[in-house]
């Protein structure tokens, strides 16, 4: 009995020891784990806790403004009321959209866009559901927001173009980045973020965009923001403002003056090369692209025969026609192949080999010298001059006046012109050059092509005698352009002929313009009509006598280049009116009016006029 009791006591003692050891081991393990969690890994879990309690929201930067030369905003930012949805917080996205649609109408197309965007992005990333809401709709969503899981009312900045179509081609517009644009960039994937798509907006994207910041916020278990902690946040860095050389008033005036036409106008300061107006009509409202243009509206723009999406000022190329005769004349004077007194008899045509080349004035101009030939735009005179020169001299002088390669103004899509010669033709067509091609090049036709920007540069160089290059971005420290290196007497002779075009009877713009319309200020100019369709003898016999008898698309392009004041040039203007008929009729008056606007609104008008009176010249 005693042995049994001793044996039971020993068993109890062993069990007690085992249980005690197990308990010690368990409590030791728990203590070790607690030590690890609370001491060794406390910082890690504190950070994980903070991650659950705090979030960092990316703050997109404010886009830099685009300003005109006087600081007038051409592109700015405004507040936009919008609604975001976080898919993983919304749960049943279809049901959330149904409830949201009770407050703000959502079209089937918009609904499909939201669902598609949500399916293509991570569930935690907000998707833009509604944008640019009015205050009433935005207030309604805010009121019901606590009952709409995953729905976040939000105020963001959106791009705004106060001048609308007048600057649409040069300023461009912004749009949301594509998948290819965004890549793995958190900023480019931020809901509602936009990048430049055309014009200055695209060309200076890096300058205008700025740097993103971050905002620390405290959130609850459902991910809703409880409070913001700006003192622990990183501020965004706004994009830089850009100041252009454009004059907002001149640009708007030129656009209005050409409204209704398929046309372009370029205005320049002849001394600095500053582009004061760069207009293509018709334009389009860039604000439509910012918020998302409808398919119907975009198709209407694409199908418009006046091509509102095409930047004619920079991308349209046309034969310069008679505006080029000043270049041919200068080339001959500089080469010593003709002088101011020598005359050519124009009978209305000239025969070269077995071909006849006609003057625009069928009965001819009679005996004309260089000044009279420029004034009356005599084709036969310049045929003769071109024949003496040869294509290479014409080619070289055209390049000196800025024709050919596209001027670099810091925008994409500026097209090259064509200044042909024998080498060019062999490379392009595998054929030699003919004398007849030299003659028609001498009057600005044939293979020769220029943009309105080229024509403005050519005119500015003619006016100033300097190799000015066009510039779109303000640069107060830019050096004065060097002189082209022409004999001043030769340049003055051409200037005199260009002034006579407008101010003397017989000048091709004398009767249509009647001068600039500013007391004491004369202008100089040159008309041009770029042939689109040649009226045959058979068509003439059938009653097709003039441009007005042709369909619009077959009419000549009208162009006019001019500068003022004629005796102390300050501004140059080039206009092209597609299918506008003769240059004197279609393009001269708008160009004259734009030039007059620049003279009358010159911010330092007393300067150049007073200097002219005293015989001094501003540097």
């Amino acid at each position: 009995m005693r042995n049994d009791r001793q044996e039971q006591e020993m068993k109890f003692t062993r069990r007690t020891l085992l249980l005690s050891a197990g308990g010690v081991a368990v409590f030791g393990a728990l203590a070790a784990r607690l030590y690890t969690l609370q001491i060794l890994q406390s910082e890690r879990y504190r950070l994980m806790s903070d991650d659950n309690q705090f979030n960092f929201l990316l703050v997109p930067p404010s886009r830099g403004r685009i300003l005109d030369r006087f600081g007038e905003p051409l592109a700015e930012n405004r507040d936009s009321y919008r609604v975001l949805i976080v898919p993983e917080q919304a749960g049943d996205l279809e049901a959330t959209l149904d409830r949201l649609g009770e407050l703000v109408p959502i079209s089937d197309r918009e609904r499909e866009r939201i669902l598609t965007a949500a399916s293509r992005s991570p569930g935690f990333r907000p998707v833009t559901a509604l944008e640019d809401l009015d205050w009433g709709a935005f207030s309604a969503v805010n009121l019901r927001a606590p009952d709409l899981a995953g729905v976040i009312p939000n105020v963001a900045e959106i791009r705004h173009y106060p001048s609308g179509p007048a600057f649409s081609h040069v300023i461009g517009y912004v749009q949301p980045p594509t998948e290819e644009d965004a890549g793995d960039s958190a900023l480019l994937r931020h809901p509602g973020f936009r990048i430049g798509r055309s014009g200055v907006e695209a060309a200076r994207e890096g300058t205008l965009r700025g740097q993103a910041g971050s905002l620390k916020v405290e959130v609850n278990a459902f991910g809703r923001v409880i409070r913001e902690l700006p003192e622990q946040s990183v501020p965004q860095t706004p994009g830089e403002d850009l100041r252009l050389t454009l004059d907002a008033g001149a640009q708007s005036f030129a656009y209005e003056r050409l409204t209704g036409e398929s046309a372009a106008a370029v205005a320049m300061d002849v001394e600095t090369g500053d582009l004061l107006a760069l207009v293509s009509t018709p334009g389009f409202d860039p604000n439509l692209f910012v918020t998302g243009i409808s398919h119907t509206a975009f198709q209407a723009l694409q199908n418009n025969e006046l091509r509102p999406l095409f930047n004619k000022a920079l991308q349209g190329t046309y034969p310069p026609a008679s505006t080029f005769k000043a270049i041919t004349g200068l080339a001959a004077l500089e080469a010593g192949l003709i002088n101011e007194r020598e005359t050519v008899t124009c009978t209305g045509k000239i025969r070269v080999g077995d071909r006849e080349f006609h003057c625009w004035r069928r009965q001819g101009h009679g005996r004309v010298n260089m000044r009279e030939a420029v004034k009356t735009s005599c084709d036969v005179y310049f045929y003769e001059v071109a024949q003496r020169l040869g294509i290479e001299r014409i080619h070289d002088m055209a390049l000196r006046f800025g024709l050919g390669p596209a001027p670099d103004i810091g925008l994409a899509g500026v097209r090259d012109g064509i200044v042909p010669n024998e080498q060019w033709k062999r490379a392009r067509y595998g054929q030699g050059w003919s004398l007849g091609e030299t003659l028609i090049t001498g009057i600005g036709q044939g293979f020769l092509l220029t943009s309105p920007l080229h024509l403005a540069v050519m005119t500015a160089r003619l006016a100033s005698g300097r190799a000015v290059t066009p510039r779109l971005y303000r640069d107060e420290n830019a050096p004065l352009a060097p002189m082209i290196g022409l004999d001043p007497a030769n340049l003055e002779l051409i200037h005199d002929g260009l002034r006579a075009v407008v101010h003397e009877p017989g000048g091709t713009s004398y009767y249509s313009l009647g001068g600039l319309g500013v007391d004491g200020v004369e202008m100089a100019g040159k008309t041009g009509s770029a042939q689109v369709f040649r009226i045959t003898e058979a068509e003439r016999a059938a009653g097709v006598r003039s441009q007005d008898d042709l369909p619009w698309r077959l009419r000549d392009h009208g162009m006019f280049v001019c500068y003022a004041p004629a005796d102390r040039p300050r501004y140059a203007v080039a206009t092209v009116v597609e299918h506008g008929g003769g240059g004197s009729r279609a393009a001269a008056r708008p160009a004259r009016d734009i030039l007059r606007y620049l003279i009358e609104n010159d911010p330092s008008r007393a300067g150049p006029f007073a200097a002219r009176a005293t015989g001094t010249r501003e540097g």
Side-chain angles (χ1 to χ4, degrees):
M1 200 114 165
R2 183 183 181 91
N3 290 336
D4 290 342
R5 182 180 297 174
Q6 288 179 343
E7 186 176 345
Q8 287 178 351
E9 289 177 352
M10 290 178 65
K11 286 181 180 180
F12 177 77
T13 302
R14 285 197 302 271
R15 289 173 179 170
T16 302
L17 289 173
L18 288 172
L19 288 173
S20 299
V24 169
V26 169
F27 282 108
L30 288 172
R33 183 59 178 162
L34 287 172
Y35 178 79
T36 300
L37 293 175
Q38 295 185 3
I39 305 299
L40 299 182
Q41 295 184 347
S42 62
E43 184 65 16
R44 175 192 173 195
Y45 287 100
R46 185 186 67 78
L47 292 175
M48 290 176 67
S49 175
D50 285 349
D51 284 343
N52 289 330
Q53 184 181 4
F54 301 103
N55 278 339
F56 281 94
L57 304 179
L58 185 143
V59 180
S62 292
R63 194 169 180 85
R65 299 177 302 162
I66 302 174
L67 312 171
D68 87 333
R69 65 192 298 107
F70 303 117
E72 186 78 16
L74 308 177
E76 57 188 0
N77 305 309
R78 64 172 175 82
D79 287 343
S80 172
Y81 302 120
R82 62 181 185 172
V83 175
L84 309 179
I85 295 179
V86 182
E88 69 178 15
Q89 295 177 11
D92 186 343
L93 190 54
E94 293 269 12
T96 299
L97 291 176
D98 289 339
R99 292 194 297 273
L100 187 59
E102 295 173 1
L103 304 174
V104 183
I106 302 175
S107 67
D108 292 340
R109 185 173 180 180
E110 282 298 298
R111 188 184 185 94
E112 183 181 349
R113 178 192 62 78
I114 297 166
L115 293 172
T116 300
S119 67
R120 290 178 177 176
S121 63
F124 62 83
R125 182 172 293 147
V127 172
T128 303
L130 301 168
E131 194 165 24
D132 219 21
L133 297 175
D134 60 40
W135 177 249
F138 187 66
S139 299
V141 175
N142 269 279
L143 188 64
R144 293 283 301 279
D147 303 323
L148 297 170
V151 173
I152 306 173
N154 177 262
V155 181
E157 285 187 341
I158 196 170
R159 204 59 159 171
H160 176 61
Y161 303 100
S163 298
F167 289 86
S168 54
H169 294 98
V170 61
I171 300 301
Y173 54 87
V174 295
Q175 280 188 313
T178 64
E179 283 293 320
E180 185 178 354
D181 293 327
D184 58 357
S185 169
L187 176 59
L188 296 190
R189 291 188 176 277
H190 191 274
F193 190 77
R194 290 168 171 82
I195 60 174
R197 276 287 173 235
S198 68
V200 173
E201 291 279 29
R204 290 294 185 267
E205 173 66 26
T207 301
L208 294 167
R209 182 183 297 181
Q211 298 291 324
S214 61
L215 173 65
K216 188 174 183 180
V217 295
E218 186 176 359
V219 296
N220 62 17
F222 299 101
R224 291 195 178 278
V225 175
I226 299 173
R227 63 187 176 113
E228 296 179 353
L229 302 169
E231 67 280 358
Q232 300 179 42
S233 303
V234 178
Q236 54 95 1
T237 303
E240 296 179 30
D241 289 348
L242 273 179
R243 181 163 291 198
L244 306 184
T245 61
L246 296 178
D247 179 332
Q251 178 88 5
S252 296
F253 178 84
Y255 184 84
E256 291 172 7
R257 187 62 184 79
L258 290 168
T259 295
E261 301 283 4
S262 178
V266 181
M268 281 180 65
D269 184 312
V270 305
E271 294 284 354
T272 65
D274 283 359
L275 290 166
L276 305 174
L278 198 60
V279 171
S280 179
T281 61
F284 56 90
D285 186 356
N287 294 297
L288 295 176
F289 288 83
V290 176
T291 55
I293 188 169
S294 70
H295 177 74
T296 302
F298 186 69
Q299 285 297 112
L301 290 173
Q302 281 194 315
N303 296 333
N304 188 328
E305 68 173 349
L306 301 185
R307 301 186 296 169
L309 295 175
F310 183 66
N311 188 346
K312 301 173 185 71
L314 304 182
Q315 297 173 325
T317 53
Y318 317 87
S322 294
T323 65
F324 186 75
K325 288 173 181 174
I327 306 303
T328 303
L330 268 174
L333 291 169
E334 288 290 305
L337 298 175
I338 201 165
N339 59 51
E340 62 179 314
R341 295 178 300 278
E342 184 177 350
T343 61
V344 171
T345 300
C346 171
T347 62
K349 61 185 177 182
I350 184 174
R351 178 172 289 275
V352 177
D354 60 352
R355 289 185 60 188
E356 283 189 345
F357 296 83
H358 292 269
C359 186
W360 70 267
R361 194 168 190 259
R362 292 292 171 173
Q363 65 269 39
H365 289 92
R367 296 177 66 83
V368 291
N369 58 20
M370 177 68 77
R371 182 184 184 280
E372 284 295 308
V374 172
K375 168 185 164 181
T376 62
S377 199
C378 176
D379 291 328
V380 167
Y381 181 93
F382 288 100
Y383 289 145
E384 174 62 32
V385 167
Q387 190 172 189
R388 297 184 193 183
L389 275 169
I391 190 59
E392 296 304 329
R393 287 194 183 102
I394 297 173
H395 169 272
D396 293 348
M397 186 60 73
L399 294 183
R400 290 174 70 180
F401 277 84
L403 305 185
D408 181 8
I409 62 170
L411 288 184
V414 183
R415 287 188 64 180
D416 290 330
I418 294 176
V419 179
N421 60 0
E422 184 169 5
Q423 181 183 3
W424 173 86
K425 190 182 177 189
R426 287 194 181 279
R428 184 75 169 266
Y429 297 106
Q431 299 174 358
W433 189 264
S434 70
L435 179 58
E437 289 165 338
T438 299
L439 267 63
I440 61 174
T441 302
I443 64 165
Q445 304 283 0
F447 297 118
L448 193 63
L449 289 178
T450 57
S451 68
L453 178 60
H454 281 117
L455 292 176
V457 173
M458 178 190 79
T459 308
R461 292 187 179 192
L462 274 171
S464 67
R466 295 184 178 276
V468 291
T469 56
R471 65 186 188 197
L472 184 59
Y473 304 95
R474 289 283 280 174
D475 183 359
E476 302 292 348
N477 300 314
L480 197 63
M483 301 301 292
I484 294 178
L486 301 173
D487 185 329
N490 293 335
L491 193 59
E492 182 58 34
L493 176 59
I494 297 298
H495 283 178
D496 194 24
L498 294 173
R499 189 202 64 81
V501 167
V502 179
H503 292 282
E504 293 185 8
T508 52
S509 291
Y510 175 73
Y511 296 105
S512 62
L513 293 185
L516 183 62
V518 178
D519 289 343
V521 183
E522 292 187 328
M523 64 181 286
K526 189 72 190 76
T527 56
S529 299
Q531 192 176 74
V532 174
F533 176 81
R534 182 175 177 271
I535 301 174
T536 65
E537 291 300 326
E539 286 167 328
R540 290 186 187 280
V544 180
R545 300 287 182 179
S546 69
Q547 292 286 306
D548 292 336
D549 298 323
L550 292 171
W552 178 78
R553 282 203 162 273
L554 297 182
R555 296 175 188 173
D556 292 347
H557 301 312
M559 52 193 64
F560 191 77
V561 299
C562 55
Y563 60 85
D567 55 345
R568 284 184 51 82
R570 176 65 188 276
Y571 300 114
V573 175
T575 57
V576 174
V577 178
E578 291 187 334
H579 310 294
S584 180
R585 177 179 59 179
R589 289 177 181 173
R592 183 268 317 270
D593 293 347
I594 296 166
L595 189 58
R596 181 169 60 208
Y597 177 94
L598 292 170
I599 291 292
E600 291 180 336
N601 292 276
D602 188 333
S604 58
R605 184 176 176 185
F609 290 90
R612 188 170 73 254
T614 59
T616 60
R617 186 173 184 85
E618 293 180 340

